[in-house]
């Protein structure tokens, strides 16, 4: 599976964007995901894509993670040609599915799912176009 992006937790979205710009990343728009309670912004550096994720409310899906990891990368996302098939394959190979696939407004409504592995931690799958 091709790598789609690296997910990066940040406490302050605007400050983080300024820092990634200094490192050669181009700015994208900031999208609010109201279901997950997070702001998301994708930035690109010559095809290398970083997804900045910042919680804007206490009960966001990453509020616990950001207390633990602070500003830090926390998942790699892989592009899946066949989400059902890949989930099944990974589930048979030591990955635990974290909830059902859900649409991600910041990735044009494509469905994403997170899976956890004992040796490499959290990964995300995004449905191919
Ligand atoms: Ni992601």
């Amino acid at each position: 599976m091709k790598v789609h992006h690296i997910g990066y937790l940040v406490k302050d979205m605007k400050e983080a964007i300024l820092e990634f710009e200094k490192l050669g990343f181009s700015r994208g728009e900031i999208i609010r995901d109201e279901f997950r309670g997070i702001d998301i912004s994708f930035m690109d550096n010559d095809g290398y894509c970083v997804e900045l994720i910042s919680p804007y409310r206490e009960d966001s899906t990453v509020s616990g993670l950001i207390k633990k990891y602070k500003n830090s990368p926390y998942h790699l996302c892989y592009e899946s040609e066949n989400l059902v098939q890949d989930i099944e394959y990974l589930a048979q190979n030591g990955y635990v599915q974290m909830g059902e696939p859900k649409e991600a407004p910041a990735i044009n409504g494509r469905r994403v799912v997170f899976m956890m592995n004992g040796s490499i931690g959290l990964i995300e799958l995004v449905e191919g176009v």
Side-chain angles (χ1 to χ4, degrees):
M1 283 181 281
K2 223 174 102 180
V3 174
H4 184 270
H5 65 261
I6 181 164
Y8 211 109
L9 288 171
V10 295
K11 289 188 198 163
D12 186 318
M13 178 62 81
K14 286 186 178 144
E15 290 295 326
I17 286 172
L18 290 174
E19 292 307 320
F20 273 102
E21 276 185 326
K22 290 177 197 167
L23 296 167
F25 285 81
S26 59
R27 181 188 285 252
E29 58 180 324
I30 300 171
I31 295 165
R32 180 148 288 191
D33 184 333
E34 290 181 6
F35 178 76
R36 297 176 176 84
I38 55 180
D39 287 328
I40 294 176
S41 187
F42 281 93
M43 298 186 79
D44 181 86
N45 183 342
D46 197 25
Y48 198 90
C49 184
V50 165
E51 173 195 35
L52 302 180
I53 299 134
S54 190
Y56 69 84
R57 57 169 205 246
E58 273 298 307
D59 65 344
S60 83
T61 51
V62 299
S63 293
L65 286 174
I66 206 160
K67 280 189 187 112
K68 191 170 165 190
Y69 296 122
K70 307 207 169 19
N71 297 308
S72 171
Y74 79 110
H75 71 259
L76 278 179
C77 177
Y78 299 87
E79 201 153 357
S80 167
E81 303 276 314
N82 185 328
L83 205 53
V84 173
Q85 204 173 294
D86 285 336
I87 289 170
E88 196 180 305
Y89 170 74
L90 292 171
Q92 287 166 355
N93 285 277
Y95 287 77
V96 178
Q97 187 179 341
M98 316 282 285
E100 291 304 309
K102 288 199 179 72
E103 289 182 4
I107 321 179
N108 301 321
R110 288 157 71 178
R111 289 187 307 157
V112 300
V113 66
F114 283 91
M115 299 187 84
M116 184 65 90
N117 175 272
S119 302
I120 66 165
L122 194 63
I123 68 161
E124 180 182 28
L125 301 180
V126 59
E127 197 166 40
V129 280

